[in-house]
């Protein structure tokens, strides 16, 4: 298939700006309160104007939505709530014609309990070949009533659920690292391996330029099902970062490399150990992986400098470009996070009612955007980040959907607050998210006071977050030394991060006192106005300097 669009560029992924679309909350084309592909197609011009190189679309496949679509019932079908496969193909082609590539999300660790394989496994019973594609296991104890292992779920609680036999008696248990509606696949089974290679081809054949690999370090389990050691050494954890994973991604890379115009693999790899993280980026494995370390750090010069240094160092051996991520559909929105006394991010620490200064948070989030966009590598922008949306922390409890909230017993507020439908225009909900003749309210209610945060309101305001993001993407594109390539630190004291990229210097002031700008011939961008010619606290600037 020949496609309209930009000329092939085998290195496009090395410095791309990639916009994450969470389809359910992006734009609602048919008025049912749920975002969909029709909505995405109607807003492609917005993304082109923002100037992004690619979109990453979170799962849009047939799904009961037990985990927002990360419970996939059929990888080759679009959920009717989002549209049809033909619409997905049209979206990929239309985006491409505007110069925007599409990355789709593949969830290889688990499927939905509504997936045909799992239904067949339940029906076929113990010892069947159908069950061998999953982790079915007898319980411990004389009556099998004790769980096979005490592995803890990332979503709190146990990782095993007991089945019921056709005669009503208790049966085997099955493994699920996430919710019981997301049974884990057995990656030792050849069907599982073959099926995923075919899913990759299915989407590459439809023009996908890349695959985002969900929970990429979890797929392989130790088949002996041991307990998790107190201090597992590298490769010793029974279900995280097993050495066997690398062969899986080598096979995926071969499929990607068999297509023209660089099809890329980007892994969701949450690993503290930087050396182990780096192993996924070897030249015959993934192209890039999400760098969550930076996003987890507090807004402090030393902490962020340490993160940048260790990130660059981890990427040196492979030559893979780093990625920079301030937010996604799983974490607290940056303007909220950076407005707190503790501005670091950790899932386990999320709580309701943390005092937040949104004015401080917004100022820092603006500076953070200039900081990450100037660093070497790719930049991921999560929908609504460019509008400076805050985390919505006062959603009525009865609208919450996220299993992280429910499985924590209500302690963890969950991830719904960063998934509220986007405000596009107008002065009241649904703020243009749904068309005027909509039959339903947005699936999560938008705050009534989002009028000033709509695209429409920000478009004409040069001081808005949207105007800043547009300018950052534009300048990043025109400055050849930004994106991929080297950087050199400048020492401007412990409260300042400053680095040089060719003839552009990025400076960020974390300290209380304004600082003098280093020698420059021009100011390209500022996250906030100067204070009597000096760079104030929580402000970043891009300067034209002599290389
Ligand atoms: C990833 C996704 C998250 C999902 C989980 C389980 O972390 O980003 O949204 O809940 O995997 O699939």
């Amino acid at each position: 298939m020949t496609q309209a669009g930009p000329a092939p560029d085998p290195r496009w992924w090395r410095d791309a700006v990639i916009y994450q679309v969470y389809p359910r909350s992006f734009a609602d084309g048919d008025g049912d309160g749920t975002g969909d592909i029709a909505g995405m197609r109607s807003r492609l011009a917005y993304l082109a104007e923002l100037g992004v190189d690619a979109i990453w679309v979170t799962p849009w496949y047939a799904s009961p939505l037990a985990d927002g679509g990360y419970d996939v019932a059929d990888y080759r079908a679009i959920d009717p709530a989002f549209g049809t496969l033909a619409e997905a193909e049209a979206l990929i082609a239309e985006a491409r014609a505007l110069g925007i590539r599409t990355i789709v999300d593949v969830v290889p660790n688990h499927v939905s309990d509504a997936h045909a394989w799992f239904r067949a496994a339940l029906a076929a019973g113990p010892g069947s070949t159908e069950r061998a594609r999953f982790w079915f296991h007898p319980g411990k104890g004389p009556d099998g009533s004790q769980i096979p292992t005490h592995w803890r779920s990332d979503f709190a609680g146990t990782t095993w659920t007991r089945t019921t036999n056709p005669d009503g008696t208790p049966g085997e248990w099955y493994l699920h690292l996430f919710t019981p509606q997301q049974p884990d696949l057995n990656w030792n089974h050849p069907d599982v391996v073959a099926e995923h290679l075919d899913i990759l081809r299915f989407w590459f054949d439809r023009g996908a330029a890349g695959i985002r690999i969900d929970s990429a370090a979890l797929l392989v389990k130790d088949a002996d099902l041991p307990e998790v050691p107190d201090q597992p050494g590298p490769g010793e954890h029974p279900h995280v970062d097993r050495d066997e994973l690398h062969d899986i991604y080598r096979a995926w890379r071969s499929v990607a490399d068999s297509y023209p115009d660089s099809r890329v693999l980007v892994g969701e790899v949450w690993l503290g150990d930087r050396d182990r993280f780096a192993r996924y980026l070897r030249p015959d494995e993934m192209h890039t992986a999400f760098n969550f370390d930076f996003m987890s750090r507090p807004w402090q010069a030393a902490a962020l400098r340490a993160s940048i240094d260790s990130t660059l160092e981890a990427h040196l051996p492979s030559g893979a470009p780093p990625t920079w991520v301030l937010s996604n559909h799983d974490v607290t929105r940056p303007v909220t996070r950076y407005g707190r006394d503790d501005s670091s991010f950790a899932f386990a620490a999320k709580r309701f009612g943390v005092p937040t200064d949104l004015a401080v948070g917004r100022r820092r989030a603006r500076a953070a955007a200039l900081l990450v966009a100037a660093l070497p590598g790719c930049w991921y922008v999560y929908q609504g980040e460019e509008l400076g949306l805050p985390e919505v922390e006062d959603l009525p409890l009865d609208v919450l959907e996220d299993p992280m909230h429910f499985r924590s017993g209500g302690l963890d507020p969950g991830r719904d607050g960063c998934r509220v439908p986007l405000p596009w225009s107008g002065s009241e909900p649904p703020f243009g998210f749904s068309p005027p003749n909509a039959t339903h309210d947005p699936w999560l209610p938008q705050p009534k006071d989002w009028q000033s945060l709509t695209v429409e309101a920000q478009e004409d305001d040069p001081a808005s977050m949207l105007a800043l993001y547009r300018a950052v993407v534009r300048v990043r594109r025109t400055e050849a030394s930004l994106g991929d390539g080297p950087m050199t630190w400048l020492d401007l004291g412990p409260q300042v991060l400053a680095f040089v990229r060719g003839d552009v210097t990025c400076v960020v002031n974390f300290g209380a006192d304004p600082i003098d700008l280093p020698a420059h011939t021009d100011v390209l961008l500022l996250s906030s106005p100067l204070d009597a010619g000096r760079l104030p606290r929580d402000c970043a600037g891009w300067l034209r300097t002599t290389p």
Side-chain angles (χ1 to χ4, degrees):
M1 177 164 63
T2 45
Q3 288 184 325
D9 171 9
R11 295 171 67 85
W12 70 268
W13 51 276
R14 294 193 59 90
D15 59 3
V17 179
I18 300 166
Y19 185 93
Q20 180 189 353
V21 177
Y22 193 76
R24 213 177 166 191
S25 301
F26 185 67
D28 168 20
D30 64 3
D32 65 356
T34 289
D36 46 35
I37 300 178
M40 290 166 66
R41 289 170 72 186
S42 75
R43 299 291 185 182
L44 280 175
Y46 169 76
L47 297 176
E49 168 118 38
L50 187 57
V52 300
D53 302 293
I55 50 174
W56 148 34
V57 186
T58 59
W60 49 7
Y61 317 107
S63 166
L65 297 182
D67 180 21
Y70 283 94
D71 47 318
V72 179
D74 183 350
Y75 288 96
R76 297 177 185 80
I78 298 294
D79 197 278
F82 299 139
T84 63
L85 187 58
E87 285 180 275
E89 290 174 3
L91 169 81
I92 293 171
E94 287 162 11
R96 186 59 210 242
L98 292 172
I100 300 172
R101 293 175 165 89
T102 300
I103 295 174
V104 298
D105 208 321
V106 168
V107 189
N109 180 68
H110 45 266
V111 292
S112 162
D113 60 351
H115 190 285
W117 278 9
F118 192 71
R119 294 203 159 160
L122 282 183
S128 60
T129 48
E130 286 84 353
R131 286 204 176 184
R133 293 171 179 150
F134 297 90
W135 290 99
F136 282 88
H137 210 268
K140 288 185 175 160
D143 56 355
S145 65
Q146 295 162 29
I147 46 174
T149 69
H150 292 88
W151 298 356
R152 301 288 298 170
S153 167
D154 277 355
F155 285 180
T158 171
T159 54
W160 295 92
T161 290
R162 196 164 191 186
T163 60
T164 306
N165 293 321
D167 65 2
T169 56
E172 288 188 317
W173 299 72
Y174 69 89
L175 175 72
H176 50 84
L177 293 186
F178 296 94
T179 70
Q181 291 80 32
Q182 295 165 293
D184 278 47
L185 289 166
N186 176 3
W187 273 87
N188 300 327
H189 197 290
D191 287 359
V192 174
V193 176
E195 167 71 355
H196 282 83
L197 296 178
D198 201 58
I199 292 167
L200 298 189
R201 288 190 202 99
F202 182 88
W203 286 101
F204 286 147
D205 286 344
R206 279 160 185 77
I211 305 286
R212 181 260 187 189
I213 311 168
D214 186 70
S215 303
L218 304 184
L219 281 48
V220 177
K221 281 66 186 194
D222 182 339
D224 294 336
L225 302 182
E227 294 297 347
V228 179
D230 283 344
Q231 305 252 302
E236 282 174 14
H237 196 291
H239 62 80
V240 180
D241 186 34
R242 310 268 320 154
D243 289 336
E244 300 86 339
L245 282 161
H246 298 283
D247 281 340
I248 297 174
Y249 297 125
R250 289 195 180 100
W252 287 33
R253 179 65 179 251
S254 302
V255 172
D257 284 351
S258 71
Y259 284 81
D261 189 23
S262 296
R263 311 297 171 104
V264 305
L265 306 175
V266 50
E268 189 203 18
V269 181
W270 289 89
L271 284 183
D273 182 328
R274 305 297 253 170
D275 294 332
R276 296 289 295 187
F277 173 87
R279 287 157 51 100
Y280 292 84
L281 299 173
R282 288 176 290 199
D284 57 348
E285 299 190 41
M286 300 174 189
H287 295 73
T288 59
F290 292 123
N291 166 28
F292 295 120
D293 183 77
F294 184 92
M295 186 193 72
S296 307
R297 304 275 183 136
W299 182 252
Q300 289 164 8
L304 294 176
R305 161 107 195 216
S307 179
I308 295 166
D309 281 336
S310 73
T311 301
L312 296 177
E313 199 182 301
H315 286 75
L316 269 184
S318 64
T323 63
W324 304 99
V325 181
L326 291 175
S327 67
N328 64 29
H329 64 295
D330 293 329
V331 307
T332 311
R333 291 269 192 194
V335 298
T336 301
R337 210 169 67 223
Y338 287 142
R340 294 178 167 167
D341 280 347
D342 177 0
S343 53
S344 64
F345 177 79
F347 285 105
K350 284 182 78 179
R351 291 294 176 267
F352 287 102
V354 181
T356 304
D357 184 334
L358 282 180
V360 170
R362 191 158 283 130
R363 195 176 161 82
R364 290 177 174 171
R366 292 172 65 92
L370 262 69
L371 170 58
V372 291
L375 289 167
C378 308
W379 180 29
Y380 280 83
V381 176
Y382 171 50
Q383 67 180 41
E385 183 186 314
E386 82 282 17
L387 301 177
L389 298 186
E391 186 83 0
V392 181
E393 299 191 278
D394 56 356
L395 286 167
L397 290 181
D398 62 353
V399 304
L400 297 186
E401 291 203 5
D402 183 14
M404 278 191 112
H405 168 68
F406 294 105
R407 285 175 60 93
S408 75
L411 207 57
D412 178 341
R415 299 166 294 176
D416 296 297
C418 65
R419 300 174 177 179
V420 171
L422 291 192
W424 291 93
S425 58
S427 55
E428 57 188 49
F431 293 114
F433 169 72
S434 297
N437 59 350
T439 52
H440 290 75
D441 291 334
W443 72 279
L444 284 174
Q446 300 156 308
K448 294 199 171 40
D449 62 358
W450 270 11
Q451 177 173 358
S452 62
L453 293 174
T454 64
V455 172
E456 183 183 52
Q458 297 198 37
E459 222 151 25
D460 298 325
D461 175 4
S464 69
M465 189 72 97
L466 179 59
L468 182 74
Y469 267 68
R470 283 182 175 168
V472 169
V473 178
R474 190 181 63 241
V475 176
R476 191 183 140 105
R477 265 206 171 169
T478 45
E479 294 298 326
S481 58
L482 296 178
D484 200 15
M487 64 170 268
T488 313
W489 288 110
L490 280 183
D491 184 5
L492 299 183
Q495 292 298 339
V496 181
L497 290 187
F499 53 92
V500 182
R501 311 226 38 216
D503 57 357
V504 178
T505 296
C506 175
V507 195
V508 191
N509 182 13
F510 294 79
D513 301 322
I515 56 163
D516 288 329
L517 292 172
H520 58 278
T521 55
D522 200 4
V523 176
L524 300 175
L525 278 178
L526 288 169
S527 65
S528 305
L530 296 178
D531 173 0
R534 308 178 83 208
L535 192 74
R537 173 176 219 165
D538 297 334
C539 182
W542 287 4
L543 312 174
R544 169 80 66 224
T545 46
T546 316

